[in-house]
Amino acid sequence: MNGGIQRILLIEDDLYTRDLYKESLESGGFSVETAVDGLDGLDKIETGGYGLIVLDAMLPKIDGLTLLGKVKDITPKQPNGPILLFTNLVRNAILPQAIASGAADVLVKAEVNPDQLVEKARELIK
Amino acid sequence: MPTLHDDSLQRITEEMYKQNRELAVRNKTLNVIQTISTVANQSFHPAEVGQLIVNTLVGELHATLSMIAIVHPSAERVECLAMAQLPEIIRVQKELHKNFQDFRISLHAEKNSLANAVTSRQRYVTDQLSDIFEPWSEPSETELIQQVCNVTSTFVLPLTANSPAGVLVVGFDRKENDLSAWEEETLEQVLGVIDVSLNKAFLLEDLRQANVQLKEMDSLKDEFLAVASHELRTPMTAIKGYIHLLLKKKDQLSPDMEEKLSRIAVSSERMLALVGEMLDVSRIAAGRIIVENEAVDVSALVREVGEELRIQADEKGIRLEIDSANNCVVHGDKNRLHEVVLNIIDNGIKYTPNGGRVSVSVCQQQEYIAIIVADTGVGIAEKDVPKLFTKFGRFSVGTDAKVQASGSGLGLYICHKLVELMKGKITVKSTFGKGSIFTVTLPVWKG
């Protein structure tokens, strides 16, 4: 970990959405790294050292749920914190599979504002 | 008194005998037709109907072969719909490694009686099966069929009224002249019954196929709606998020900019809600809505929703009264029930003119808990009540300028479906111009 400042990995393919939540999480006091697709995300997860991973579901190359399955099989160089699935899919429809695949929680983007994501990040990093 | 001569008696006797015989023939024919008609009604699938008919026909007519062939939709060939499953037929199929179900003949096969019967709509009688099965079968194969099945004469009778057109083939172990009168009569009369039965079956088949296609199209529409809704949510979420960030920097915004940004925020929320509703509708249609079965404290939930809508009610000067008894716990899905109660109270506020009243109460009614939302709003005309819980079931609320309603017309449809999924009911009583009472009942929590 990075001298008290928690590192968050934000895996999101949509540029504007990525920038929006990066800015919000940084304003909330986190250090944010981003990945633009599932493969890029998996590489960064393998390197590890993130207090939280915010993962979109609909991603190019490897989708979020598949990525969750792969994460279970790898040993990162540095340990990672929980994974928050952050999606615009319907929560009830994706929740059981996401939790079974190792996600700590599911948050629907359309239902929260950026501050609520920051709150959730704080809650999960605790 | 006149006396009857012997020759007169003889004539009368002969006439009576003839009439009796004709009656017997008619009777036997009618029996067969009735039997065929009865068995044909046992199925609505063309191939099954055909099979039932030919199987019955060989039994009733002591025939040695019976087949129904129909014209393929390409109108290029005629092919077997059903062949009577006689032991001899099964044996021939095994020996020839051929299945009569695969039988097909080009309608352009000039020497083929079957093709000719279809195109000319005339009946043919032949003593050679080669006239029927060749060139589908080789001459040696046809000979084997004829021998094993013991076919001496074969009738090829066009099914005139059918769509698709077709023929009935019936083979006998005797010559045409040796058929009895009732057998001849039956062969003529039975065609009408077969025509009607097959027509009905083919029509139903068409309907079935049309229905399957419609369902596929409906499912494609739902899939499209789900994908489109998801894709729409992505940019809308970004808009909503950036506005949220901008509105946080109030000290850098002029009052006019702040007001305009707030309006963009409200509009983007409305659009997201609309997309969410469309997504819900597509999921309801696809049967993919999942509701939890958990203990929901309705009293607390109603109070919570009341607080959420308080500002909205205050803005219109509407008195929002919440009378919620404690310990009213139901089986339901907390989030979904929240959505339902919010929608109904929100509608109450929306459709009540300024200065009116919306009162919400919760009470137990035997095995159920009722959430009752009564307003002093515009009410619903009796003719419009049935439309209320349908998709896009919006209707005119009159010319009351004090009421400005907006929305997709999907809210109550979704509420109705959600409450149903939670094994509850939603009902409405309304007096046009005076107000409405919506009641949601849900089963009491029993653990």
Side-chain angles (χ1 to χ4, degrees), chain B residues 229-262:
Chain B
S229 303
H230 177 266
E231 293 306 309
L232 280 171
R233 273 174 129 182
T234 301
M236 287 309 302
T237 309
I239 293 171
K240 180 184 138 176
Y242 281 113
I243 296 167
H244 179 83
L245 293 189
L246 285 175
L247 281 171
K248 278 170 73 180
K249 297 174 181 169
K250 282 191 180 171
D251 53 335
Q252 296 173 35
L253 298 173
S254 69
D256 183 50
M257 280 164 78
E258 190 183 336
E259 167 66 18
K260 286 186 170 109
L261 275 174
S262 298

Side-chain angles (χ1 to χ4, degrees), chain A residues 14-17 19-21 23-24 58 87-90 92-93 108-115, chain B residues 230-231 233-234 237-238 240-242 244-245 248-249 269 272 279 283 288 290-292 333 335-336:
Chain A
D14 184 76
L15 172 66
Y16 291 176
T17 308
D19 285 352
L20 167 69
Y21 296 119
E23 186 183 331
S24 309
M58 307 277 271
T87 175
N88 255 332
L89 294 171
V90 175
N92 277 6
V108 177
K109 292 173 194 166
E111 292 170 6
V112 295
N113 62 43
D115 288 347
Chain B
H230 177 266
E231 293 306 309
R233 273 174 129 182
T234 301
T237 309
K240 180 184 138 176
Y242 281 113
H244 179 83
L245 293 189
K248 278 170 73 180
K249 297 174 181 169
E269 281 289 358
L272 268 173
L279 196 58
R283 292 175 60 74
R288 286 205 297 259
I290 304 160
V291 293
E292 302 292 334
D333 180 312
N335 291 332
R336 290 303 197 173

Side-chain angles (χ1 to χ4, degrees), chain B residues 265-280:
Chain B
V266 170
S267 301
S268 69
E269 281 289 358
R270 270 171 54 187
M271 191 150 168
L272 268 173
L274 185 62
V275 171
E277 283 178 351
M278 291 197 324
L279 196 58
D280 272 348

Side-chain angles (χ1 to χ4, degrees), chain B residues 5-158:
Chain B
H5 294 290
D6 282 351
D7 56 341
S8 302
L9 269 174
Q10 177 73 19
R11 273 206 309 279
I12 289 168
T13 309
E14 277 174 8
E15 187 60 30
M16 280 182 73
Y17 174 74
K18 197 179 147 199
Q19 283 187 9
N20 262 342
R21 226 180 56 150
E22 277 175 11
L23 266 176
V25 165
R26 226 11 78 88
N27 199 24
K28 229 169 166 181
T29 301
L30 279 173
N31 273 340
V32 176
I33 287 169
Q34 195 183 7
T35 309
I36 297 279
S37 171
T38 307
V39 296
N41 276 328
Q42 288 170 8
S43 171
F44 295 118
H45 292 276
E48 280 177 20
V49 170
Q51 196 63 59
L52 288 163
I53 290 171
V54 290
N55 285 352
T56 310
L57 211 54
V58 285
E60 295 291 333
L61 291 175
H62 305 293
T64 51
L65 184 145
S66 179
M67 175 174 79
I68 292 173
I70 53 155
V71 175
H72 184 262
S74 67
E76 286 294 314
R77 62 176 190 265
V78 60
E79 56 190 27
C80 176
L81 176 73
M83 169 66 104
Q85 291 300 296
L86 291 164
E88 293 78 13
I89 296 284
I90 293 165
R91 195 184 125 197
V92 166
Q93 288 189 144
K94 270 189 189 161
E95 282 189 31
L96 296 179
H97 300 292
K98 261 191 155 130
N99 194 326
F100 283 103
Q101 287 301 328
D102 302 328
F103 167 76
R104 59 196 55 194
I105 287 289
S106 163
L107 282 175
H108 309 297
E110 284 175 11
K111 290 178 184 168
N112 189 286
S113 304
L114 207 135
N116 290 337
V118 171
T119 47
S120 67
R121 305 236 157 178
Q122 281 180 2
R123 60 178 263 163
Y124 285 83
V125 183
T126 174
D127 55 2
Q128 293 300 320
L129 280 186
S130 55
D131 290 345
I132 294 163
F133 289 116
E134 289 176 16
W136 177 73
S137 60
E138 298 290 327
S140 60
E141 293 175 331
T142 318
E143 207 173 305
L144 186 80
I145 301 169
Q146 188 135 17
Q147 258 178 21
V148 174
C149 296
N150 194 14
V151 180
T152 302
S153 63
T154 308
F155 289 73
V156 182
L157 309 161

Side-chain angles (χ1 to χ4, degrees), chain B residues 142-267:
Chain B
T142 318
E143 207 173 305
L144 186 80
I145 301 169
Q146 188 135 17
Q147 258 178 21
V148 174
C149 296
N150 194 14
V151 180
T152 302
S153 63
T154 308
F155 289 73
V156 182
L157 309 161
L159 296 166
T160 49
N162 254 339
S163 172
V167 282
L168 170 69
V169 178
V170 187
F172 293 95
D173 58 359
R174 46 209 186 273
K175 289 183 182 161
E176 183 187 3
N177 293 340
D178 295 335
L179 291 191
S180 63
W182 80 267
E183 284 170 332
E184 292 248 26
E185 174 90 5
T186 303
L187 278 179
E188 287 298 320
Q189 299 294 329
V190 82
L191 293 176
V193 180
I194 298 175
D195 270 338
V196 171
S197 303
L198 283 179
N199 262 345
K200 193 167 68 180
F202 276 113
L203 270 175
L204 281 168
E205 182 71 13
D206 286 349
L207 272 177
R208 256 193 304 272
Q209 277 177 11
N211 202 20
V212 167
Q213 276 179 346
L214 273 177
K215 278 185 181 163
E216 277 171 9
M217 282 165 70
D218 202 42
S219 152
L220 276 177
K221 180 207 74 187
D222 290 335
E223 206 176 310
F224 167 76
L225 203 54
V227 173
S229 303
H230 177 266
E231 293 306 309
L232 280 171
R233 273 174 129 182
T234 301
M236 287 309 302
T237 309
I239 293 171
K240 180 184 138 176
Y242 281 113
I243 296 167
H244 179 83
L245 293 189
L246 285 175
L247 281 171
K248 278 170 73 180
K249 297 174 181 169
K250 282 191 180 171
D251 53 335
Q252 296 173 35
L253 298 173
S254 69
D256 183 50
M257 280 164 78
E258 190 183 336
E259 167 66 18
K260 286 186 170 109
L261 275 174
S262 298
R263 288 183 177 199
I264 298 173
V266 170
S267 301

Side-chain angles (χ1 to χ4, degrees), chain A residues 68 72 82-83 97-104:
Chain A
L68 276 171
K72 279 203 280 192
I83 301 179
Q97 203 188 339
I99 300 294
S101 305

